[in-house]
Amino acid sequence: MKNHTTYGAHLTLRIANIERRHALQGPHGVSDLLVDLIDRIGMRILAGPLTAEETGDPERRGWSSVAILYESHCAIHTYPELGEAFLDVFSCKTFPIAAITTLLTERFGEFAIVEQSLTDRGIHWGPNVEKELASWVLTRSGS
């Protein structure tokens, strides 16, 4: 998943036709899902999850939850009335995508992945990430 010339991998999923729409509702269910997903892929929470409800039109109504990880971040945005969700996992540590889809199946039942993207991020970073970060900081500070 991650090659030696990138910082990390960024997975985005849009899932639709979710069988168990009730699992997309409420702050506890959504944040618990995020915590379980983070644990399942072997990462650690630094802050969060922070979970909030978006009210309004049915196509925009739902719940969002985000966690800052020691390894980067993870977020989910749910739309119960549409039976859809967006998931975002970015990490400098490799992670098993199959573990994510297995957990989603356990929670949501049947669903369809209608969009999936796995992108290498930080392609300008060399294999020595600490050296590259130090160089980036110097550039940003004007030194």
Side-chain angles (χ1 to χ4, degrees):
M1 175 178 313
K2 176 182 159 187
N3 71 43
H4 296 292
T5 62
T6 63
Y7 177 78
H10 192 175
L11 172 70
T12 58
L13 292 174
R14 176 180 163 217
I15 59 175
N17 304 319
I18 295 171
E19 178 183 8
R20 297 184 199 131
R21 291 183 179 198
H22 67 276
L24 302 170
Q25 295 263 41
H28 300 294
V30 174
S31 65
D32 288 351
L33 168 74
L34 200 60
V35 169
D36 289 348
L37 184 143
I38 292 163
D39 183 60
R40 182 89 51 109
I41 61 176
M43 299 198 189
R44 303 162 298 142
I45 296 174
L46 178 62
L50 174 63
T51 305
E53 180 181 19
E54 172 66 32
T55 59
D57 298 331
E59 60 275 355
R60 299 281 186 225
R61 190 173 331 175
W63 293 87
S64 294
S65 190
V66 63
I68 306 300
L69 307 178
Y70 284 94
E71 300 83 7
S72 198
H73 75 265
C74 188
I76 188 166
H77 309 282
T78 69
Y79 301 92
E81 293 179 47
L82 300 176
E84 295 192 12
F86 290 89
L87 181 71
D88 181 338
V89 179
F90 177 41
S91 177
C92 59
K93 177 182 175 185
T94 59
F95 53 90
I97 296 172
I100 294 170
T101 55
T102 297
L103 177 66
L104 293 176
T105 301
E106 291 169 8
R107 294 295 178 90
F108 297 152
E110 296 290 321
F111 61 86
I113 297 174
V114 293
E115 293 175 17
Q116 179 174 338
S117 173
L118 181 63
T119 307
D120 285 333
R121 299 291 307 273
I123 58 174
H124 65 281
W125 289 41
N128 185 334
V129 174
E130 291 175 357
K131 179 181 173 188
E132 294 294 330
L133 180 58
S135 175
W136 181 81
V137 169
L138 284 174
T139 304
R140 298 281 296 179
S141 67
S143 300

